[in-house]
Amino acid sequence: MPSQNFIPKPIRNFFRMRVSPTSLQFRLTLELVTLSAIGVSAVAFWAGWQMEQNLVTSHKQLLEYVAMRFPEQAEMYSEGKTVEVSLERTIDKLSTSGVSIWVQEPDGKILSKSSGINMPSTEIVNAITQTEAPAKPRIFQFGDRYIVLCGNPLTVSGKLVGKVYLSSNSKFKNLGGVGCQIRF
């Protein structure tokens, strides 16, 4: 057996030892490893879930803040300017990456909207404007995407301009049934 000469004796003895699955030491070790794996998995699952809940909450709070400030900003920018110009300026100031804002007149025409990649697809905008958007931010599912959405009536200088919609695009994986589903 020339191949055994290359393997050191302590290693050969280690592999010759047999472990009895009925021994107390084996069963206790297996139990400890199993409980440790379950505990670590549970903590990892909880941390991921908690982080997703915090992310959802922060998106909702951001939209609430923007929705609260939008009418006063539009009023401030409307002094001496047309409503369209004041809305464009307000939207440019308040929209951030991931936050889309658009204003729709009562007849359904979009008066002003965020520019660039902030805006959701036209299909999503049409689906949103055909439904009753809540005043407080809520989560809606559009196909395989989730967005946080709210919509409020907008008056500038005492005149009803239309409805302002705010949405936050998110890539939430699974919200556990939170929110609503809109199919189109």
Side-chain angles (χ1 to χ4, degrees):
M1 289 192 171
S3 65
Q4 286 186 353
N5 293 337
F6 295 113
I7 301 173
K9 190 173 185 176
I11 293 176
R12 276 186 282 157
N13 289 339
F14 177 76
F15 285 113
R16 284 185 186 163
M17 292 185 335
R18 301 264 176 187
V19 177
S20 172
T22 59
S23 72
L24 181 61
Q25 181 180 6
F26 176 79
R27 288 184 293 170
L28 289 174
T29 303
L30 183 64
E31 183 179 324
L32 181 65
V33 167
T34 303
L35 289 176
S36 297
I38 291 171
V40 168
S41 298
V43 168
F45 176 77
W46 176 82
W49 177 81
Q50 187 65 37
M51 191 174 357
E52 194 163 316
Q53 295 304 311
N54 289 342
L55 181 65
V56 168
T57 302
S58 70
H59 280 277
K60 284 182 175 182
Q61 287 174 344
L62 174 66
L63 283 188
E64 269 187 83
Y65 176 73
V66 172
M68 182 180 66
R69 288 200 48 208
F70 195 89
E72 22 181 89
Q73 291 289 318
E75 190 79 36
M76 183 179 76
Y77 290 130
S78 71
E79 295 173 7
K81 297 181 176 88
T82 64
V83 173
E84 290 83 7
V85 171
S86 68
L87 290 176
E88 283 292 331
R89 203 159 169 206
T90 304
I91 288 173
D92 288 342
K93 292 286 184 186
L94 293 178
S95 62
T96 60
S97 70
V99 174
S100 306
I101 304 172
W102 67 97
V103 177
Q104 185 180 27
E105 292 180 327
D107 65 359
K109 177 185 161 205
I110 293 184
L111 189 60
S112 185
K113 64 181 181 176
S114 300
S115 60
I117 60 172
N118 286 343
M119 275 305 284
S121 70
T122 309
E123 190 176 63
I124 292 176
V125 170
N126 290 337
I128 290 171
T129 54
Q130 290 173 3
T131 63
E132 188 62 35
K136 291 277 187 186
R138 283 189 50 200
I139 300 165
F140 289 88
Q141 181 180 0
F142 291 94
D144 63 341
R145 296 174 53 188
Y146 292 92
I147 66 167
V148 180
L149 170 73
C150 70
N152 295 314
L154 177 65
T155 50
V156 177
S157 302
K159 178 184 164 204
L160 179 67
V161 175
K163 191 166 187 173
V164 61
Y165 292 92
L166 298 109
S167 74
S168 179
N169 295 330
S170 306
K171 294 188 171 65
F172 306 122
K173 292 184 289 186
N174 181 8
L175 297 174
V178 176
C180 301
Q181 187 171 25
I182 296 177
R183 297 197 185 274
F184 45 149

